[in-house]
Amino acid sequence: MSLLHEDEHATSGRVPTDDAGAGAAPGAPPTAAALRAAARRRAVGLVVLAVAVSLTCTFLGRWQWNRHVARDAAIAVVEANYAAPPADLADVVADPDAPLPEADAWRSVEVRGRYVPDAAVLLRNRPVVPGTPGYHVLVPLVVQDAAPGSFGAPVDAGRVLVVDRGWVPTGADGSVDVDVPAPPAGDVTVTVRLRPGEPVSSRSAPDGQVQAIAPTQVLAAAGVDGEPYAAYGGLVREDPAADEPLGALAAPSTDPGSHLSYAFQWWVFALGGLVAFSVAARREWVAARALGDAAPAPHPARPRRARGRDEIDEDAEIEAQQRRDLQAQASAMRSR
């Protein structure tokens, strides 16, 4: 009898499952509060992204605007000075050691002196004429009078002015096979356009060549002792003229470039990004408010499939067999 009760107790303790083998019910859906919080987080993130994109594009536009302003100022200096009549070098450069002011760039000046013979230095990696490789020819000019148009004693005599006399084509191997025409010998009156001296270059160059028009570096490459002007000059003309002229230096470009259009493009991107991300953030916020306090409707339960007739008969047969086995066991125990 006890065995029968134990078996019935074990049978009743089993967890019933449906015929399809379904497991536990899925987790509950997110609440309305959770959905609202997620939507608001997305809205805040979009606002932060809008501000970041807008600020970045604004600063990039400002950078391009500053480049446009600097380029516009450089063009104004060229237009004011390039075609102006020449003045004495001493009138424009009162202190030879002082850097040339930007307002005096491209000023035409006259100076009297003597070129140092066999002291030409080649400037590398500098454009001359589009499509034509070449070297700029830099020659030291020992000044005899920096104010040849004025009466009185010579000014800045003994100083050295580096003159960019023009350009020559590169040789067959680009270094030693270069034919450099000689400058005029003896006293010469030179008209040049002033340019600020460049910083000393740390790049190496073959003997007799330089990578920048740094006056001290040019004199060192030429093997010339002397105190150089901080500025140098681009040749306009020489009196007397050289027997064989060099390639003429190109006029400075007055193309303003695309900096202004780039600046406006960046600012349009800044405004567009701010508007687009702000609209997306507002939609997320409005969607969060529309959720309200009501929980979302639960998913409808899937109806269980009704058992067929064959399954019912099979279950009944199994239960009958289990009862007969229990009765047989009980009878065997009583007979003992």
Side-chain angles (χ1 to χ4, degrees):
M1 188 69 182
S2 60
L3 182 60
L4 179 60
H5 288 305
E6 289 176 359
D7 188 76
E8 290 176 350
H9 179 72
T11 303
S12 63
R14 288 181 297 179
V15 177
T17 59
D18 59 11
D19 294 35
T31 63
L35 293 175
R36 285 198 306 273
R40 287 171 179 169
R41 284 195 298 271
R42 289 194 297 270
V44 173
L46 288 169
V47 170
V48 173
L49 183 60
V51 173
V53 170
S54 179
L55 287 177
T56 301
C57 293
T58 299
F59 283 121
L60 288 172
R62 182 66 179 176
W63 170 61
Q64 287 290 349
W65 174 262
N66 290 335
R67 295 188 66 185
H68 162 71
V69 170
R71 179 60 183 161
D72 197 48
I75 292 173
V77 170
V78 171
E79 292 175 344
N81 295 343
Y82 192 79
D88 286 342
L89 174 60
D91 293 340
V92 179
V93 181
D95 182 3
D97 296 321
L100 182 70
E102 293 183 4
D104 290 329
W106 302 108
R107 287 281 302 273
S108 294
V109 296
E110 289 185 346
V111 58
R112 183 179 297 119
R114 284 175 174 259
Y115 285 115
V116 179
D118 301 324
V121 175
L122 301 180
L123 174 65
R124 301 173 59 87
N125 302 319
R126 194 65 58 92
V128 289
V129 175
T132 304
Y135 295 120
H136 287 247
V137 179
L138 311 176
V139 183
L141 176 75
V142 179
V143 174
Q144 293 177 335
D145 190 1
S150 303
F151 294 102
V155 179
D156 294 333
R159 280 278 185 169
V160 181
L161 177 69
V162 174
V163 178
D164 184 352
R165 297 191 61 244
W167 62 274
V168 292
T170 59
D173 62 358
S175 60
V176 297
D177 187 18
V178 180
D179 182 17
V180 181
D187 296 346
V188 59
T189 300
V190 179
T191 302
V192 297
R193 289 188 176 95
L194 291 176
R195 303 285 290 129
E198 300 173 0
V200 173
S201 175
S202 60
R203 295 180 296 171
S204 61
D207 292 341
Q209 299 184 16
V210 291
Q211 299 279 6
I213 311 180
T216 55
Q217 203 167 27
V218 172
L219 295 192
V224 174
D225 294 330
E227 294 294 328
Y229 280 80
Y232 73 93
L235 182 64
V236 178
R237 57 180 173 269
E238 298 165 328
D239 185 18
D243 294 335
E244 185 177 351
L246 281 67
L249 298 174
S253 172
T254 55
D255 182 6
S258 302
H259 303 302
L260 183 60
S261 62
Y262 289 159
F264 283 112
Q265 287 178 19
W266 281 119
W267 290 333
V268 169
F269 292 157
L271 180 60
L274 184 63
V275 171
F277 287 116
S278 298
V279 169
R282 183 179 182 279
R283 288 176 179 174
E284 291 288 348
W285 195 267
V286 171
R289 294 180 58 185
L291 289 173
D293 295 328
H299 295 286
R302 187 177 63 178
R304 296 181 61 184
R305 182 176 59 86
R307 294 193 302 168
R309 181 64 184 175
D310 292 340
E311 295 177 350
I312 296 175
D313 293 344
E314 184 180 355
D315 291 345
E317 180 64 27
I318 291 174
E319 292 177 357
Q321 182 62 39
Q322 289 176 348
R323 285 196 297 270
R324 286 194 295 271
D325 291 342
L326 291 174
Q327 290 175 357
Q329 292 176 4
S331 298
M333 293 181 65
R334 284 196 299 270
S335 64
R336 293 178 185 178

